[in-house]
């Protein structure tokens, strides 16, 4: 994994947050039931953040507490935030890591891997190539 992941989320390697970030996104640590993920992928993108697997009332509150571009109140905004980490040389793994680290920096701890998986899979439906599950085999 590239050290550029810290740059992608605006963190430098000497920050406390960067020092605590060792793992990054790991789809093997998700706890989403297959039918729950399938239902989320089939439904239209809605407004309510709690429709995203991994987001409950606490994570919804944390995401809404941000300022400016870090304030996320809808699924559309969360998808936009996810897409904001995709640059021309950013691999799908680096992309998911950047989103995972952003969620961590915002204070989203519980359900973070679930959120990344759900949003990455959702976006993959309408923008093929953004997420590559086989990269984690």
């Amino acid at each position: 994994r590239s050290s550029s992941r810290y740059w992608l989320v605006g963190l430098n390697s000497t920050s406390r947050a960067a020092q605590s970030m060792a793992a990054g996104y790991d789809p093997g640590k998700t706890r989403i039931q297959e039918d729950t993920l399938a239902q989320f992928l089939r439904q239209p993108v809605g407004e309510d953040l709690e429709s995203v697997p991994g987001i409950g009332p606490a994570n919804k509150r944390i995401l809404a507490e941000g300022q400016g571009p870090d304030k996320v109140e809808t699924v559309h905004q969360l998808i936009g935030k996810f897409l904001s980490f995709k640059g021309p040389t950013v691999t799908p793994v680096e992309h998911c890591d950047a989103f995972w680290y952003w969620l961590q920096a915002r204070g989203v701890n519980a359900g973070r891997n679930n959120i990344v998986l759900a949003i990455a899979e959702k976006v993959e439906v309408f923008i093929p190539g953004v997420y590559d599950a086989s990269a984690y085999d």
Side-chain angles (χ1 to χ4, degrees):
R1 295 187 181 173
S2 170
S3 63
S4 67
R5 67 179 175 241
Y6 300 117
W7 171 82
L8 291 171
V9 294
L11 300 173
N12 65 48
S13 60
T14 60
S15 74
R16 183 172 163 241
Q19 292 169 358
S20 69
M21 297 178 200
Y25 169 64
D26 182 351
K29 293 182 179 177
T30 60
R31 300 292 178 253
I32 302 175
Q33 299 293 325
E34 285 184 34
D35 57 333
T36 301
L37 181 59
Q39 180 181 357
F40 175 70
L41 296 176
R42 281 192 305 267
Q43 69 188 15
V45 175
E47 295 291 319
D48 187 11
L49 282 173
E50 288 187 49
S51 69
V52 178
I55 298 183
N59 282 341
K60 182 177 181 178
R61 179 186 46 76
I62 290 167
L63 291 170
E65 289 174 346
Q67 298 289 329
D70 279 340
K71 183 176 184 129
V72 174
E73 297 178 292
T74 68
V75 178
H76 295 94
Q77 290 173 323
L78 190 61
I79 288 171
K81 180 51 77 174
F82 173 75
L83 288 171
S84 74
F85 296 114
K86 181 65 177 146
T89 62
V90 176
T91 69
V93 170
E94 291 169 333
H95 186 192
C96 287
D97 279 348
F99 187 52
W100 189 93
Y101 290 127
W102 176 81
L103 288 167
Q104 183 183 55
R106 291 297 318 283
V108 173
N109 295 314
R112 192 168 47 240
N113 281 298
N114 295 346
I115 297 166
V116 175
L117 176 65
I119 294 298
E121 289 275 6
K122 184 77 162 181
V123 172
E124 177 67 18
V125 170
F126 58 91
I127 306 176
V130 169
Y131 180 66
D132 180 9
S134 68
Y136 297 95
D137 292 339

